[in-house]
Amino acid sequence: MGRGLSPLQRRILQLAHDNREAGRSKRGTADVYTAEVFAMVYGFPTLPGADVRDPSRQTFSREEIGTKAYDTAAAAVSRALRRLEERGLLTRQGGAGAGAGARLTKAGRQEAATLAAASTTPT
């Protein structure tokens, strides 16, 4: 597969896997949304009442986070999703920004399960 997965790519696969395992992914919907990555990986604070799994609502305040920090994270997440899609590990869904999502492919589910097993194996 060439170079290994980046830490961000691994985290995205793990979030998608965790959502599937917990039953948060419904048939045909995204396993992970970019808003979840922003909240879980980058620690971006959500707006009051916001739900990171509801792509129809605004989730973050760009002004509160800072435009540069938000734009940098958005570019990194977009690149990571594109590269995961190019590797055949997920398919992207939805539009752009925090409302976009991705669904694991069969190969992605296998890779995510391997990552999950490795993270729980004692060293």
Side-chain angles (χ1 to χ4, degrees):
M1 190 179 277
R3 293 178 50 196
L5 298 173
S6 73
L8 178 57
Q9 290 169 335
R10 286 194 299 272
R11 189 69 179 112
I12 290 169
L13 291 177
Q14 290 170 330
L15 286 170
H17 177 267
D18 292 349
N19 285 337
R20 268 187 174 254
E21 290 295 305
R24 290 186 290 268
S25 298
K26 305 297 182 215
R27 183 178 177 95
T29 65
D31 292 322
V32 65
Y33 289 97
T34 56
E36 289 178 281
V37 179
F38 294 155
M40 301 296 287
V41 176
Y42 292 93
F44 288 173
T46 57
L47 293 171
D51 178 359
V52 294
R53 295 216 27 100
D54 181 358
S56 67
R57 299 185 57 182
Q58 183 177 354
T59 312
F60 304 101
S61 167
R62 187 176 289 216
E63 291 77 29
E64 183 179 340
I65 293 164
T67 301
K68 183 176 180 179
Y70 184 89
D71 290 347
T72 299
V77 171
S78 178
R79 255 190 324 274
L81 290 172
R82 179 178 41 84
R83 289 173 179 163
L84 288 167
E85 185 173 45
E86 289 169 354
R87 289 175 176 230
L89 299 176
L90 57 75
T91 56
R92 292 187 286 179
Q93 298 180 323
R103 189 152 182 84
L104 294 172
T105 62
K106 182 177 181 181
R109 290 190 300 273
Q110 292 169 341
E111 182 69 27
T114 299
L115 290 170
S119 69
T120 59
T121 304
T123 55

